[in-house]
Amino acid sequence: PSVPAPDMEGVTAALDSAMAEGAPGAMARFTGPSGVESRTVGVRDRTSGAPMDIHARFRIGSVSKTFSTVVLLQLVEEGRLELDAPVNRYLPGLLPDDRITVRHLLTHRSGLADYTDAMFADTVPGFEAVRNRVFSYQELVDLSLSEPRTTEPGVAYKYSNANFVVVGMLIEKLTGRPVSDAYERRIFKPLKLRGTSYVHPDTRIKGLHVRGYLHPDAAGDPLVDSTEQTVSWAQSAGAVISSPADLNTFTGALMRGRLLSPAMLEEMTTVTPTDATDTRFYGLGLRRYDLSCGTRVFGHTGTVQGFYTYAFSTRDGRRSLSAVANTSNHGAANTALGGTLEAAFCGKKPA
Ligand SMILES: CC1(C)S[C@@H]2[C@H](NC(=O)CCCC[C@H](NC(=O)C[NH3+])C(=O)[O-])C(=O)N2[C@H]1C(=O)[O-]
């Protein structure tokens, strides 16, 4: 069946509006049946004035959660753990409730509190306090468990980074290796994602990269260059570095079944609503957005200091979009950037 061509003027308009909302720059890359289209606006470095570059790498924040999910679901396929088994079967004594299952982690239905709410309540001081810190997984879990749980296991969707910290712990326990080895061996190398890396706790983004600029809470305060950080507060929940092309490859390959069996991909894309709207859903470490033209796209969003990211594909993997703006803590810029999805996947609006 023919699909609408991407509305690249609309994509550019969304990138321009992200800049108008305070992003120093933004870019998007679309891959579809007619090939690749990319657009860049503004700068990747405010000091040098270097223009945004479609080949530059950046922090993808919680898009990392989908990478971690793919590794864990491959381990499920290999019989190393079961989706509906208690987490405590594999990490004895870790969680205070044996009813919390592996699936609850991947669907944000565990009830484990998100420690980043308190950690980043004051945006810039919170960031400065942790940007060079190295946390153990256990320290992050302890931060979560020091707060009340948000729901009985399985009862409700409540997004929490803690879930994907535990996913990282499961991967390391079951493989006996750091998560970086699993990412490399199971995803980065097979898909030839040469611009994608997991370098925690190194603070640098090596090679050609985008610098990220954090908006302070007080309007009018200067942007904070947040490019260098360990992202140790997130790790398997948010510390992957990638590029527009690699994200297109990753979400496209995932949806084409190159990483998981058809049955497991079906599990991953089986969703429940995340909010009152009937357009946003969450599966296993994966978001589904239902667009105005009826197209359903699957992928993830990311918010890490200095970077907003969208990385989505259609269910058949034939069309993929990745978009990034090099700012954060500024919702209007994030919403503006999100406009690239409708333009790319729904095409030009009828006159
Ligand atoms: C659910 C989200 C939005 S939050 C979650 C994760 N990012 C974080 O947990 C970092 C939150 C603080 C980031 C900081 N904000 C503040 O400090 C506010 N006081 C900023 O904007 O740079 C990620 O990425 N996910 C996004 C996702 O999945 O889309």
Side-chain angles (χ1 to χ4, degrees):
S2 74
V3 293
D7 170 12
M8 294 314 293
E9 289 68 38
V11 167
T12 304
L15 300 178
D16 285 338
S17 61
M19 277 190 74
E21 291 295 349
M27 60 181 166
R29 187 181 190 276
F30 176 84
T31 304
S34 307
V36 176
E37 295 269 7
S38 55
R39 295 291 187 276
T40 61
V41 299
V43 296
R44 64 182 172 84
D45 183 326
R46 295 179 75 220
T47 306
S48 70
M52 188 55 76
D53 187 318
I54 200 66
H55 303 293
R57 312 172 68 224
F58 52 92
R59 299 190 188 285
I60 66 173
S62 289
V63 179
S64 309
K65 291 179 168 76
T66 307
F67 284 82
S68 299
T69 301
V70 164
V71 171
L72 197 69
L73 293 182
Q74 288 185 352
L75 293 170
V76 172
E77 285 183 323
E78 294 159 18
R80 314 281 290 280
L81 78 166
E82 293 172 25
L83 268 177
D84 294 312
V87 170
N88 284 347
R89 178 182 302 174
Y90 310 105
L91 296 165
L94 181 76
L95 301 181
D97 190 331
D98 284 341
R99 295 173 300 162
I100 296 174
T101 66
V102 174
R103 190 188 298 273
H104 290 153
L105 301 175
L106 297 173
T107 54
H108 291 297
R109 301 175 79 89
S110 69
L112 294 175
D114 193 337
Y115 52 84
T116 63
D117 295 340
M119 183 180 279
F120 299 123
D122 292 331
T123 301
V124 174
F127 169 64
E128 295 294 356
V130 301
R131 69 182 297 173
N132 292 307
R133 272 195 65 178
V134 180
F135 293 95
S136 67
Y137 280 135
Q138 187 63 54
E139 284 175 299
L140 298 175
V141 172
D142 291 346
L143 283 174
S144 171
L145 295 179
S146 70
E147 298 179 38
R149 284 213 287 306
T150 59
T151 173
E152 289 299 300
V155 168
Y157 169 88
K158 183 78 176 68
Y159 192 101
S160 174
N161 285 298
N163 292 317
F164 285 82
V165 166
V166 178
V167 167
M169 292 177 94
L170 283 168
I171 292 169
E172 297 204 343
K173 178 72 183 296
L174 293 167
T175 63
R177 315 267 319 146
V179 281
S180 52
D181 290 0
Y183 293 140
E184 282 290 340
R185 207 165 59 77
R186 293 170 176 270
I187 305 174
F188 301 173
K189 290 215 176 343
L191 296 186
K192 298 184 173 49
L193 304 183
R194 296 195 174 82
T196 302
S197 62
Y198 184 87
V199 295
H200 172 268
D202 191 323
T203 59
R204 293 165 300 167
I205 307 176
K206 299 190 186 83
L208 176 66
H209 62 274
V210 181
R211 298 198 69 80
Y213 300 96
L214 176 62
H215 266 82
D217 291 332
D221 278 8
L223 296 181
V224 172
D225 186 329
S226 55
T227 311
E228 280 77 32
Q229 69 157 306
T230 60
V231 202
S232 199
W233 56 267
Q235 295 182 55
S236 43
V240 175
I241 290 164
S242 192
S243 69
D246 281 6
L247 290 179
N248 282 170
T249 301
F250 172 63
T251 55
L254 174 61
M255 288 297 121
R256 282 193 175 88
R258 286 196 50 201
L259 294 168
L260 297 170
S261 68
M264 191 56 79
L265 188 56
E266 196 49 38
E267 285 261 28
M268 190 180 190
T269 56
T270 301
V271 298
T272 55
T274 61
D275 56 22
T277 70
D278 56 356
T279 61
R280 302 210 159 172
F281 305 84
Y282 208 92
L284 302 181
L286 192 71
R287 292 188 184 281
R288 189 187 97 193
Y289 283 0
D290 292 3
L291 303 179
S292 64
C293 53
T295 299
R296 293 175 170 182
V297 292
F298 296 81
H300 217 289
T301 47
T303 298
V304 56
Q305 286 85 359
F307 302 95
Y308 284 131
T309 303
Y310 290 79
F312 286 85
S313 284
T314 46
R315 181 64 184 79
D316 60 10
R318 290 177 67 217
R319 292 181 287 156
S320 299
L321 176 89
S322 59
V324 62
N326 57 347
T327 197
S328 68
N329 194 38
H330 201 67
N334 194 14
T335 303
L337 185 68
T340 54
L341 292 177
E342 287 276 344
F345 290 110
C346 292
K348 278 198 187 317
K349 293 263 182 276

